[in-house]
Every structure is written in C-alpha cells, then in structure tokens.
Amino acid sequence: MRTGSEPATARSALRLRFWLSLWGVLWAGFGTTVFSLVERPGWAAACGVLFVVAAVDLVMVAHHIRQGPHWQPGRDIPPYEPDHGGRGRGRGR
C-alpha cells in the first residue's frame, strides 16, 4: 500500500543491513591487517576507517533489531501515518 509519504516514513531492511555490515566489518578488518603487514599505511588507514564505520553501523542495526517492530516491521505492522498538515505535535488541531 502506497501513501505518498514513503520517503519520509521509509523503514530499513534491517536484516539485510546487518549482514552487509558484518560483511563490511570482516573485509575491512582483513584489508587493514593485510595492508599493515605489507607496509601500506595509507590503505591500512582507509580500511581501518571503513572498519570503524561498518562496526558502528553493525552495532546500531543490532540495537534497532532488538528494539522490536518499530524498527523491524513485519507484514502485520502498518506503515506510519503520513503528515497531513505540517503542524508539529502538541499543537491543537
């Protein structure tokens, strides 16, 4: 079901992001190790930065998965209600 507000209310495929982040952590760790051993400090640093980014993403995704259906909806969870007026919460209707 499309509501027209998908860019604002989109949800991420967390399981896919989890496995891609894990893949990135493994390869970046391998790259950092190999480039350090062959004495390529620039490439080792680049892989190290990529390792940190992928590891942070992996931790965040794992946290969101553990938070439950708000972050990892199933077929029984409806999409978020779109914003119908641009007025913030707490203001009268």
Side-chain angles (χ1 to χ4, degrees), residues 3 8-10 14 18 21 27 30 32 34 37 39 42-43 46-47 50 60 64 68 72 83 86 90-91:
T3 63
T9 60
L14 290 178
F18 176 82
S21 293
W27 274 106
F30 175 75
T32 302
V34 168
L37 292 174
E39 298 177 0
W43 283 105
C47 286
L50 186 59
M60 289 177 56
H64 286 167
Q72 186 178 9
D83 183 15
R91 291 179 160 170

Side-chain angles (χ1 to χ4, degrees), residues 52-88:
V52 169
V53 169
V56 168
D57 187 47
L58 184 65
V59 168
M60 289 177 56
V61 168
H63 176 71
H64 286 167
I65 288 172
R66 292 188 68 180
Q67 284 183 323
H70 177 75
W71 292 101
Q72 186 178 9
R75 293 187 185 272
D76 58 332
I77 306 297
Y80 295 129
E81 187 65 29
D83 183 15
H84 293 292
R87 295 174 13 192

